[in-house]
Amino acid sequence: MSSGTYEYGQLYRSEDKIYPREVKGRFARLRRLAMFVLLGLFYVGPWLTWDGRQAVLFDLPERKFYIFGMTLWPQDFVYLALLLIMLAVSLSFFTALAGRLWCGYACPQTVWTEAFTWIERSVEGDRAKRIKLDNAPWTWNKIWRKSLKQFLWILLAAYTGFTFVGYFVDVRTLAVQLATFSAHPWSAFWVLFYGFATYGNAGYMREQVCKYMCPYARFQGAMFDKDTLIITYDEERGEPRGPRRRGSDPKEKGLGDCIDCTICVQVCPTGIDIRKGLQYECIACAACIDACDSVMDKMNYPRGLIRYTTEHAIQHKRYHLLRPRTIVYSLILVTLATAMVSAIVLRPPVIADVIRDRNALYRDAGSAGIENSYTLRIVNKQNIERHYRLSVRGLEGITLATADRFTVEPESVFTVPVAVTVPHEFAAGGNIIEFVVEDVDDPDVRVVEESRFRGPVAY
Ligand code: SF4
Ligand code: SF4
């Protein structure tokens, strides 16, 4: 860390810049793999096509979400709500089980920071070189390295903003529009906005987002218990810490296994010392495990002075995988997943809405009887044209006074006025009636909508 810029009497102290040291090891490889897979999915996602259309497209103006073969309409947003609830419960479940795995490997802040740090390290060098470069005067070496880093950061940030907007606007059209400066002002604004957010968060804010902005960091501690997997320094084994020669016997010197090299602190992206115990700033990235393992290897000590473990295990107590909170979370998750899958599978391919004409209670249609008017709206969710038959029931002698066959274009909404008549002798007082919309070619597909039929008041 560089020295802070605080002077006695000042009310504000700026954050020290953190220069995380590069670390190699199994968890670093895992983190890099997660970065490639997640960023790969994100950047490739909008370019995939399905049935001749962008595979994943959240078309907000059209109010339709295309997710591979599935089209979600505003009426289907209950699935989205279910999905969000499931994600929230999964986060609680995995946090109770395995601590901050999400933060360490999958959180966008971690993933993009990893990518930005990788660019920084490739251009400016490792920790010592970066510190030296920052403190050096503006020579040509510093100018070209800093400029190249900024150029690559801006490029990646801009492409990230473009990709993000590409999930909401057809990505190929957006690419052409941006290249020809003809994009809609809102599209251009969101590309710049998300690009700027990526640049700021992953380039500069980094650990400060985790420490001061992320709400999850604040409440995740409440989801922990003594059987939650955490990254811990084994104090019993490591203390008393102290330097020693390689090959010397620590017991002779009355020392533990920690050689106090502080490499675990130097690799930490949030700049904390894990040897001080579990801290909310720890994002569980496991960099300190890799770092300490490499030190232990060099000293010929067993690995795992810093390791994934649980509070109970450290205290030599029994570990419980099944405990009330993990059981409750998993039951909720299974129930929600079952509800969601069955709701999606059983989702009707057509929706019908009937709205009663509010301008007139009823109309006397002479010998035809009493007439009520409605507006019928049919939503064909399928990607092929469908033919529907409309019928009505619920009162003696009830008939449709308007057309009863409709053709609806694929994935579109069809609106038509309909009128219903009931003979005078059965219309008095009115009643609840049912409109039945049936797919002509597939009678299993039918929806029934209720509405009220109004007639003259019966005496
Ligand atoms: S890396 Fe390991 S040995 Fe070195 S200071 Fe940290 S805990 Fe101690
Ligand atoms: S203490 Fe270790 S696991 Fe926690 S953030 Fe620092 S390096 Fe990562």
Side-chain angles (χ1 to χ4, degrees), residues 53-347:
R53 168 198 298 144
Q54 189 169 320
V56 183
L57 179 65
F58 305 110
D59 194 339
L60 293 179
E62 289 286 315
R63 295 191 181 82
K64 286 186 213 164
F65 286 4
Y66 302 103
I67 302 169
F68 292 93
M70 193 167 64
T71 306
L72 293 177
W73 293 72
Q75 292 85 346
D76 297 324
F77 275 28
V78 61
Y79 307 120
L80 199 65
L82 267 176
L83 184 71
L84 292 177
I85 297 171
M86 270 176 66
L87 290 177
V89 179
S90 314
L91 195 63
S92 308
F93 175 67
F94 286 111
T95 305
L97 211 62
R100 295 178 71 172
L101 271 192
W102 163 261
C103 299
Y105 298 92
C107 170
Q109 178 62 21
T110 309
V111 170
W112 266 285
T113 300
E114 183 89 22
F116 272 61
T117 317
W118 178 77
I119 292 177
E120 187 172 61
R121 198 179 295 126
S122 310
V123 177
E124 294 184 359
D126 197 11
R127 178 184 152 86
K129 284 189 182 157
R130 291 206 305 277
I131 295 175
K132 202 171 153 200
L133 193 71
D134 275 2
N135 293 326
W138 281 95
T139 57
W140 170 241
N141 178 49
K142 182 165 175 171
I143 291 172
W144 82 256
R145 283 186 194 276
K146 291 280 176 195
S147 311
L148 179 61
K149 179 183 85 174
Q150 289 298 332
F151 172 72
L152 294 173
W153 276 7
I154 291 169
L155 205 65
L156 180 61
Y159 193 69
T160 304
F162 160 71
T163 305
F164 187 83
V165 177
Y167 281 96
F168 296 88
V169 178
D170 181 83
V171 75
R172 289 169 178 80
T173 313
L174 181 67
V176 173
Q177 287 174 342
L178 286 174
T180 54
F181 299 99
S182 58
H184 190 282
W186 277 115
S187 301
F189 168 78
W190 288 116
V191 169
L192 289 175
F193 179 86
Y194 285 108
F196 183 71
T198 309
Y199 174 80
N201 287 340
Y204 291 97
M205 305 281 285
R206 296 192 179 174
E207 78 289 345
Q208 296 185 44
V209 174
C210 312
K211 279 158 81 171
Y212 306 117
M213 291 164 70
C214 175
Y216 173 59
R218 303 275 149 185
F219 64 74
Q220 44 86 25
M223 300 175 194
F224 281 24
D225 58 25
K226 293 191 170 179
D227 286 308
T228 298
L229 202 62
I230 46 173
I231 292 176
T232 316
Y233 164 70
D234 189 341
E235 209 174 318
E236 194 181 305
R237 185 185 143 192
E239 299 297 318
R241 66 187 78 158
R244 79 284 316 256
R245 270 172 207 272
R246 197 185 296 184
S248 65
D249 183 3
K251 289 198 182 69
E252 268 178 21
K253 292 186 153 199
L255 291 172
D257 280 357
C258 174
I259 65 167
D260 206 13
C261 59
T262 72
I263 290 179
C264 53
V265 184
Q266 293 172 34
V267 297
C268 179
T270 62
I272 59 168
D273 185 346
I274 190 73
R275 296 172 299 169
K276 291 181 181 163
L278 185 63
Q279 294 147 76
Y280 85 92
E281 294 98 329
C282 173
I283 57 165
C285 66
C288 53
I289 300 186
D290 282 334
C292 191
D293 278 351
S294 67
V295 175
M296 294 294 108
D297 288 350
K298 280 186 198 132
M299 298 300 294
N300 271 331
Y301 296 166
R303 287 179 163 200
L305 178 57
I306 300 176
R307 62 180 182 274
Y308 275 109
T309 185
T310 68
E311 213 177 312
H312 270 157
I314 282 276
Q315 295 164 355
H316 309 291
K317 291 185 182 156
R318 249 188 85 201
Y319 165 69
H320 302 94
L321 174 68
L322 293 178
R323 27 200 220 274
R325 68 172 69 195
T326 54
I327 295 172
V328 170
Y329 286 145
S330 43
L331 284 178
I332 297 176
L333 259 184
V334 170
T335 312
L336 283 173
T338 316
M340 187 161 140
V341 171
S342 5
I344 288 180
V345 170
L346 301 173
R347 187 171 79 110

Side-chain angles (χ1 to χ4, degrees), residues 11-26:
L11 295 177
Y12 171 75
R13 182 183 190 277
S14 63
E15 279 281 325
D16 291 329
K17 186 172 176 185
I18 294 173
Y19 297 87
R21 184 180 171 136
E22 187 180 11
V23 63
K24 292 195 169 81
R26 52 205 164 126

